[in-house]
Amino acid sequence: MKQHDGMYIDGSWRPAAGSGTIEVVGPADGKVIATVPAGSDRDVDAAVRAARAALPGWAATAPAARAALLTALRDQLAARADEIAETVTAELGSPLAFSRTVHAGIPVAVCGSYAELAASYAFEERIGNSTVLLEPVGVVGAITPWNYPLHQIVAKVAPALAAGCTVVLKPAEDTPLVARLFAECADAAGVPAGVFNLVTGLGPEAGAALAGHEGVDLVSFTGSTAVGRKIGALAGAAVKRVALELGGKSANVILPSADLARAVAVGVANVMANSGQTCSAWTRMLVHAEQYDEAVELATAAAAKYVPGERIGPVVSAGQRDRVRGYIEQGIGQGARLVAGGPDAPRPDGYYVSPTVFADVTPDMTLAQEEIFGPVLSILRYEDEDDAVRIANGTVYGLAGAVWAGDDAEAVAFARRLETGQVDINGGRFNPLAPFGGYKQSGIGRELGPHGLAEYLQTKSLQF
Ligand code: ADP
């Protein structure tokens, strides 16, 4: 077990102000794998001061210099991909192959995309007799969750640095080890002292201190809607910018003309990936009444391929496992039909949950309304397209979704009616440049690509 005692502040690793620690638990067997310091408001204050002091210098660097630094950071992330994948597998529990391709691979792509954008983005525009300067917002407080621990960090830090902002990061307490690796990469890439700072700690302490700090100009938060609401209220009271990436309950709408087998197979894979701990997961599958029984059979067979401990890992913590199991029990209690999995532990050790599929889920059930954040798929029946639109839009969330149809035009026509920030058409591929973010209570603001960069910029117009 490793005992880490430093936090990365003002360009070096230094001990925390207090003596509190956080135990990092490996979800595959429940054993403690490391400890990290539990930062307090004093550590957050030191980090914010460092970020403020570094801001004028960093904001004044040429975009090409920021691009070069992000290229160096991307190269560091790529060089340490194996270590990153192993670390995420140890602290989050995802199978190593998934950690390699997704948890280690996507951040390299996203960081690379911001290296290119920093070089090519128009940080100045002409509007009539004005020149509009797009300037960095200032000091960014980034608060990230554990589900895609490195991706969430890079999706905030890379655009912030590209924009000329400085950053204090408070990563999730369940997955601080990969955040430490990221800080090592930033250091090795030559990020100047104070431009990027890391404070590990608990949400209600270090997180709340960062969100409420008067030296922070923008809070970028990804996590639960409950915490996002608090952070939004704090930011509102302080008239400070805020970006919130919150929960989801996305719909996978399979229209009658679609390739049903493919839509169901991809839909099940989407929900089971990362043990269902994906805010954009399509946890509600909507199938036409005439194809309903066939879809349920296909989904049941597909779920059986996700053997716990092989193709699907544990969930992140005992608390998360208990929460997910509670939802499964509630689903049974409310009359949904369990066709795969269930609340029982599939393995004696670790925080595993059986890949679970419910049929006969109705839109008002908890299963169809609340974000479960586990490997649980609900299959709902619709009668016609208007009914499908109503069901798909009938939650407080609007983060992602999918539409399948015989041709793209039909799927796109349906997608236009969805209240959601992102829709995959007939199995469309992940695009690291596409804006990601929510309608309704799924959040405010967008991440990734040029839209993600714009979040970290403010405008100044000069009239001539
Ligand atoms: P999850 O359900 O994914 O754990 P949370 O919203 O609880 O989502 O956590 C996401 C991030 O927000 C974590 O880094 C956590 O430490 C932090 N956090 C939790 N509570 C607060 C809070 N009151 N203020 C600021 N950050 C918080």
Side-chain angles (χ1 to χ4, degrees), residues 99-112 148 151 154 430 432 448:
S99 295
R100 284 212 171 95
T101 51
V102 175
H103 292 302
I106 289 178
V108 172
V110 170
C111 193
Y148 287 85
H151 168 68
V154 171
F430 173 70
L448 305 181

Side-chain angles (χ1 to χ4, degrees), residues 143-146 170-173 202-204 207-208 221-224 227 230-231:
I143 300 174
T144 55
W146 44 261
K170 205 302 283 175
E173 43 272 60
L202 299 173
F221 169 82
T222 300
S224 61
V227 175
K230 282 190 207 167
I231 287 175

Side-chain angles (χ1 to χ4, degrees), residues 82-158:
D82 284 347
E83 202 182 338
I84 287 168
E86 282 158 21
T87 301
V88 175
T89 289
E91 64 184 351
L92 177 67
S94 46
L96 193 56
F98 189 80
S99 295
R100 284 212 171 95
T101 51
V102 175
H103 292 302
I106 289 178
V108 172
V110 170
C111 193
S113 76
Y114 279 112
E116 284 171 25
L117 272 166
S120 62
Y121 196 78
F123 289 99
E124 252 186 67
E125 59 178 336
R126 287 289 297 185
I127 300 181
N129 63 314
S130 301
T131 295
V132 179
L133 308 179
L134 284 85
E135 300 188 329
V137 167
V139 173
V140 174
I143 300 174
T144 55
W146 44 261
N147 65 335
Y148 287 85
L150 183 59
H151 168 68
Q152 308 281 15
I153 290 170
V154 171
K156 296 187 190 310
V157 177

Side-chain angles (χ1 to χ4, degrees), residues 224 246-249 278-279 323 327 369-373 397:
S224 61
L246 309 176
K249 192 73 203 178
T278 307
C279 31
R323 234 183 115 244
Y327 273 116
Q369 289 294 326
E370 292 188 18
E371 182 174 52
I372 297 173
F373 233 60
Y397 295 115

Side-chain angles (χ1 to χ4, degrees), residues 429-456:
R429 279 176 303 125
F430 173 70
N431 175 3
L433 292 173
F436 178 79
Y439 280 30
K440 303 194 282 187
Q441 289 182 33
S442 286
I444 295 172
R446 294 291 179 268
E447 293 196 305
L448 305 181
H451 291 267
L453 180 53
E455 293 285 328
Y456 295 92

